[in-house]
Every structure is written in C-alpha cells, then in structure tokens.
Amino acid sequence: MSNQATNGRWLPIQIAPDECDLELGRLHKTGIVPWSFPCRRKGGIWFNVWAGEAVLILPSHWRVWRSGI
C-alpha cells in the first residue's frame, strides 16, 4: 500500500491492512498523537517493527509509514 492511497490522512484502525508497515496513532484531546516507530499487524496483534515486540497500547488510527521521517 502506498502513501498516495491514503494521501497521508489518518484512517480508522478498523480498516488497517495486515502485513504492512504502518504509522499508528492514538486519539488525544489535542488530536491524533503518532507513535514514533512503524508497526505491523500479524494475526490480530500489533508489533513494533523495529523491536519485534507486541505493542500493548491499542491504536485508534493509522496511515502508511513514511521511512525517513
């Protein structure tokens, strides 16, 4: 999936694709706060791509991870 497909917009987590590096975020009173590492969903579980560990915080939104940010 390319960044052009989402135009960099935040999308609801319910429609996030599997097996793709994504930037996840959590809804906050100031807006959506992005996480600083790419994540990937495998078998319904979110993983930090860099650490290879499961993420215990549930995201609310996603967009395509842009390398080099």
Side-chain angles (χ1 to χ4, degrees):
M1 175 168 287
S2 72
N3 204 21
Q4 291 176 335
T6 63
N7 292 324
R9 294 185 327 258
W10 287 107
L11 299 171
I13 201 66
Q14 296 84 351
I15 62 170
D18 289 333
E19 300 297 331
C20 180
D21 288 356
L22 301 175
E23 179 179 18
L24 301 182
R26 188 82 182 132
L27 194 55
H28 185 267
K29 63 183 177 182
T30 60
I32 298 170
V33 178
W35 299 356
S36 59
F37 50 88
C39 291
R40 184 175 282 236
R41 185 170 51 194
K42 297 177 186 176
I45 299 171
W46 288 104
F47 287 88
N48 176 330
V49 171
W50 292 341
E53 297 175 343
V55 176
L56 301 178
I57 302 169
L58 296 176
S60 62
H61 290 78
W62 70 277
R63 61 185 172 192
V64 175
W65 176 261
R66 299 171 301 180
S67 60
I69 57 173

